[in-house]
Amino acid sequence: PKARKLAKSKNLDLATVAGTGRFGRVTEADVEQALGIAKPKKVELVPAVAGEAAAPLGSVPMTGMQQAIAKNMEATLSVPVFRVTKTVATDAFDALYQKLKPDGVTVSALLAKACAIALVKTPLINAAYGASGTIDYNDHVNVAQAVALDGGLITPTLRDADKLSLTDLSAAWKDLVGKARSGSLKPEEYQTGTFTISNLGMFDVAQFDAILPPGQGAILAIASSKVVPIPMPGAALGVGLQKQMTVTITCDHRIISGADAA
């Protein structure tokens, strides 16, 4: 309850927070960490005693998930990519979220829907490079979103995101995140993405680049929104305040050009 109350007061979508509590439960400390307000813990230097877990040293075997992530990252190293970054005003987005929040709509659902609408308008960004030198257009808009887990990450996928309502997307996303944390996702629920979102907005990140997933043409990295001063005629001293965030898209240059990405 404390975690939910704190997240609500800060307009933080709990579905975007990785839980460290029992069975993946999101704790108050997890929310504070996501908001960047976690209080530093006092560190006491004490000698280790028998039975205490020591910090890992030397070579530690990777989990199956970590090995899969490493393999996927290596698979994209040979792909020629480029990136386009843009600053987006989020005041209207935030207002829409506050309006729809009572209906159970989440930030993750809004982001997925916004991307899905854009992908329908620009199907090349939703396509992938074919091994035989083709552009493989997808007949579905499946938006995957990265979710951090203990020891790795996974990308649950909102299939046909362009066709689902915001309330249906929100319900589906909550279900997918729950399955991800319990390790019960089916392959079709995390291996069918045609476009991916990597959102680090809850970690007070100014800007970052995401690595292109195998089999996709593009991935969008979303940073934190911040209040910045901007020229505003009619305001005091001609300056007003606006919430902005930086988004960066990474694209496969074999099929996508800079103009398409922009």
Side-chain angles (χ1 to χ4, degrees):
K2 290 183 179 180
R4 188 180 298 107
K5 183 178 180 181
L6 177 59
K8 183 177 181 181
S9 69
K10 300 294 184 180
N11 296 325
L12 175 65
D13 182 4
L14 273 181
T16 64
V17 181
T20 61
R22 191 178 184 187
F23 304 117
R25 182 175 60 86
V26 177
T27 67
E28 185 178 13
D30 295 330
V31 175
E32 290 177 342
Q33 179 68 34
L35 292 170
I37 60 175
K39 298 178 181 179
K41 296 181 179 180
K42 184 178 180 181
V43 178
E44 296 184 2
L45 299 178
V46 295
V49 296
E52 287 187 351
L57 293 174
S59 299
V60 178
M62 299 174 72
T63 65
M65 178 183 292
Q66 290 171 330
Q67 292 178 21
I69 293 172
K71 185 177 181 180
N72 284 340
M73 296 303 97
E74 291 174 349
T76 63
L77 289 178
S78 62
V79 177
V81 299
F82 71 95
R83 300 170 180 86
V84 176
T85 300
K86 182 176 183 177
T87 299
V88 181
T90 64
D91 290 309
F93 181 93
D94 294 338
L96 178 62
Y97 171 60
Q98 291 301 324
K99 179 181 178 181
L100 299 177
K101 186 178 178 181
D103 297 325
V105 174
T106 65
V107 169
S108 296
L110 282 170
L111 292 174
K113 190 66 173 181
C115 287
I117 293 172
L119 292 171
V120 170
K121 294 179 180 179
T122 52
L124 183 59
I125 308 297
N126 193 51
Y129 174 79
S132 58
T134 59
I135 300 176
D136 296 340
Y137 287 91
N138 290 295
D139 55 359
H140 295 276
V141 177
N142 299 339
V143 179
Q145 297 193 60
V147 173
L149 301 174
D150 184 21
L153 61 84
I154 199 166
T155 51
T157 303
L158 289 166
R159 288 172 287 179
D160 294 319
D162 58 317
K163 300 175 182 178
L164 297 178
S165 69
L166 285 169
T167 51
D168 287 342
L169 282 172
S170 299
W173 183 245
K174 289 179 180 178
D175 180 59
L176 287 169
V177 171
K179 289 182 178 179
R181 289 176 177 157
S182 65
S184 58
L185 282 174
K186 300 177 181 178
E188 62 268 23
E189 293 176 319
Y190 67 92
Q191 294 181 352
T192 54
T194 59
F195 179 85
T196 297
I197 296 172
S198 180
N199 180 16
L200 292 181
M202 68 292 296
F203 294 114
D204 194 25
V205 173
Q207 187 271 334
F208 73 103
D209 301 333
I211 297 177
L212 185 68
Q216 295 184 21
I219 180 173
L220 186 69
I222 300 177
S224 306
S225 60
K226 300 179 183 296
V227 178
V228 298
I230 61 169
M232 187 174 291
L237 303 177
V239 177
L241 297 177
Q242 184 183 68
K243 287 191 71 175
Q244 298 179 351
M245 70 180 180
T246 300
V247 295
T248 301
I249 190 169
T250 299
C251 300
D252 186 339
H253 215 339
R254 294 174 298 183
I255 62 171
I256 299 172
S257 69
D260 298 317

